[in-house]
């Protein structure tokens, strides 16, 4: 019992001394010191191996132009939407149930509706 009381007093004193010894002002950085003098310039390095500063070669001949690329554009007539699936003032939504797309088209095509 006495040893337990003695050990608890020592731990209490140890923790109390740690709490009292720490201060908010400890460890604050002071102002920066003056700038030191410039050091001496180091020696110049060795010259690299020859051939690194060669001349550029001649340009090759122009190739033949390829065929112009075209996008697959499909245009349809006007769609009259009546009624809207969602008729909020700032958001309108309508489903097109007859639109059938392949998985390849869903992943790779761009479909714009305006």
């Amino acid at each position: 019992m006495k040893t337990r009381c003695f050990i608890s007093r020592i731990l209490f004193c140890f923790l109390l001394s740690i709490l009292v010894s720490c201060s908010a002002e400890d460890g604050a950085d002071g102002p920066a010191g003056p700038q030191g003098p410039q050091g001496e310039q180091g020696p110049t390095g060795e010259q690299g191996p020859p051939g690194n500063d060669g001349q550029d070669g001649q340009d090759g001949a122009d190739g033949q132009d390829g065929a112009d690329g075209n996008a697959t554009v499909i245009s349809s007539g006007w769609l009259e939407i009546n009624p809207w699936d969602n008729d909020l003032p700032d958001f309108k939504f309508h489903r097109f149930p007859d639109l059938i797309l392949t998985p390849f088209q869903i992943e790779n095509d761009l479909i714009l509706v305006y």
Side-chain angles (χ1 to χ4, degrees):
M1 180 75 176
K2 289 183 180 186
T3 56
R4 184 182 291 174
C5 185
F6 180 71
I7 292 174
S8 63
R9 284 184 182 178
I10 289 177
L11 285 174
F12 178 73
C13 291
F14 177 72
L15 290 174
L16 186 63
S17 65
I18 289 176
L19 290 173
V20 172
S21 65
C22 295
S23 172
E25 289 106 23
D26 290 346
D29 292 337
Q35 182 70 28
Q38 175 68 35
E40 293 182 25
Q41 182 68 29
T44 304
E46 295 181 20
Q47 181 68 28
N52 287 346
D53 293 334
Q55 296 177 354
D56 291 340
Q58 293 180 350
D59 291 340
D62 287 342
Q64 188 177 16
D65 289 342
D68 291 338
N70 291 321
T72 303
V73 177
I74 299 172
S75 177
S76 64
W78 290 95
L79 297 174
E80 186 172 330
I81 299 174
N82 193 11
W84 289 94
D85 289 348
N86 185 354
D87 197 12
L88 297 174
D90 58 348
F91 178 74
K92 306 240 187 252
F93 180 80
H94 183 72
R95 287 185 177 87
F96 293 98
D98 297 337
L99 184 64
I100 300 172
L101 299 173
T102 65
F104 181 80
Q105 289 172 323
I106 292 171
E107 291 294 323
N108 298 305
D109 290 356
L110 175 66
I111 300 171
L112 300 174
V113 178
Y114 59 97

